Amino acid sequence: MIGLKYGIVGFRGKMGREIFEYFSTFGDECVLKKDVDSFEQTDTPQVIIDFSSPSALEETVKLCREHKIALVLGTTALEERHFEMLRELANEVPVVQSYNFSTGINILRKILREYTRYFSDWDAAMVEIHHTQKKDAPSGTAKMLRNDMNRDIPISSLRIGGVFGEHTVIFSNAGEVVEIKHSALSRRAFSIGVRHAALFTLKKQKGFYSYEDVLNENL
Ligand code: NAD
C-alpha cells in the first residue's frame, strides 16, 4: 500500500528517525510528530507508532482513543499497568505490541519453540554480541529466546565495537554441533516489521496483537 498516514511518538529518537526514513521510501506521510516538549500535527493519522519511553504511553493511548486510531508500540521496559492500559485500548482499536519487531528474530522464536525438544539430551547455550553502548546483559532478546526454548541454558554476552546485534543458539552432543544464528545489520531490521504491523492494523477493527500475529497473517 502506498500513502500510509501515520504518526510517530519519539520522533527525534534513533528508531523514530529510522522509521521516518524507511516509511518515506514508500511515499508514506508522517502527519503527527511527537517528542518530549514537541508536538506537530498536520492531519489525522491512520496509525500511531510509539518508540519512545514508557512515560509517554498514557498520552499516546489518549491520542489513539481521541482519534480512534491504531497503535504500533515498540517501547520496551513496560510494566503491568502499561499492559493494562493497552488491553483496555485494544477493546476499541487495534494494538500491536512487541519488544522485537525484527522478522528474523520472530521466525527464530518459532523455530526454537518447535525444535528445541529434539535436542533435549544435547548441551545447549547461547552467545549474544552487541556494541559497547548497550547497557543491559544478557539482552532482552536473548532472555526471550531462552524462554521460548523452555530450557535454562547459559547465555554468554560479549560487548565489542559496533556490532548491531547477534544471537547464536548452539546445540552440541559428543559428536556434532548445530548452530542457529541471527544477525541484525541495522535498525532497518525493526522498521521493516513496524511497517508490516502498521499495514496489518488497517485490516483490523480492534484487538491486542503481537508481531507474530502479523507474521501469521501473511503466511
Ligand atoms: P532513543 O533514546 O534514541 O529515542 C527515544 C525518543 O523518545 C527520544 O527522542 C526521546 O526524547 C523520546 N521520548 C522519551 N520520552 C518521551 C515522552 N514522554 N514523550 C514523547 N517522546 C519521548 O531510543 P531508541 O533507540 O529510538 O528506542 C526507543 C524505544 O524503542 C526504547 O524503549 C527501545 O528499547 C525500543 N526499541 C524497541 C525495538 C523493538 O523492536 N520493539 C527496537 C529498538 C528499540
Side-chain angles (χ1 to χ4, degrees):
M1 179 192 158
I2 293 174
L4 178 70
K5 281 185 189 174
Y6 67 100
I8 300 185
V9 179
F11 181 75
R12 289 201 303 259
K14 292 184 279 298
M15 276 307 298
R17 280 178 279 136
E18 159 58 29
I19 289 164
F20 177 73
E21 196 179 295
Y22 178 63
F23 279 40
S24 297
T25 65
F26 296 90
D28 298 337
E29 204 186 334
C30 188
V31 296
L32 186 153
K33 299 171 181 171
K34 188 172 190 298
D35 207 294
V36 173
D37 299 331
S38 69
F39 184 83
E40 198 188 313
Q41 186 173 359
T42 54
D43 203 343
T44 304
Q46 294 163 287
V47 51
I48 288 192
I49 296 161
D50 185 338
F51 276 69
S52 59
S53 131
S55 63
L57 189 61
E58 204 170 330
E59 280 193 35
T60 299
V61 165
K62 233 185 254 171
L63 268 177
C64 292
R65 191 165 275 140
E66 231 168 70
H67 296 295
K68 263 229 154 270
I69 46 179
L71 172 64
V72 174
L73 181 69
T75 302
T76 58
L78 302 176
E79 292 168 15
E80 185 44 38
R81 65 196 171 91
H82 299 118
F83 284 105
E84 262 168 42
M85 277 186 227
L86 292 173
R87 283 191 290 267
E88 259 180 47
L89 179 66
N91 290 325
E92 298 168 43
V93 299
V95 175
V96 181
Q97 182 274 328
S98 175
Y99 278 170
N100 195 314
F101 276 92
S102 138
T103 300
I105 284 290
N106 280 278
I107 295 171
L108 180 54
R109 294 188 67 184
K110 283 171 179 280
I111 292 171
L112 292 176
R113 264 186 247 136
E114 178 66 25
Y115 292 102
T116 300
R117 62 200 161 107
Y118 292 101
F119 296 100
S120 60
D121 58 345
W122 297 40
D123 290 335
M126 196 184 315
V127 179
E128 59 98 351
I129 311 178
H130 285 88
H131 53 83
T132 46
Q133 270 84 55
K134 186 163 178 67
K135 290 178 195 128
D136 54 327
S139 69
T141 300
K143 288 192 242 173
M144 186 173 74
L145 294 174
R146 176 169 61 185
N147 205 34
D148 288 323
M149 295 172 73
N150 204 16
R151 238 182 110 165
D152 190 18
I153 62 164
I155 299 174
S156 177
S157 302
L158 294 175
R159 297 289 172 259
I160 47 170
V163 177
F164 195 77
E166 278 188 20
H167 292 85
T168 309
V169 178
I170 307 165
F171 297 100
S172 181
N173 67 12
E176 50 193 324
V177 177
V178 173
E179 289 188 5
I180 308 172
K181 177 175 171 182
H182 175 270
S183 302
L185 303 177
S186 72
R187 286 188 183 83
R188 189 105 335 161
F190 307 119
S191 55
I192 292 171
V194 171
R195 192 164 189 277
H196 286 314
L199 296 178
F200 170 91
T201 63
L202 302 187
K203 294 185 268 173
K204 305 288 171 197
Q205 295 298 316
K206 59 182 181 177
F208 194 26
Y209 303 97
S210 67
Y211 187 57
E212 251 188 82
D213 295 321
V214 177
L215 284 181
N216 289 339
E217 179 103 338
N218 292 329
L219 287 179

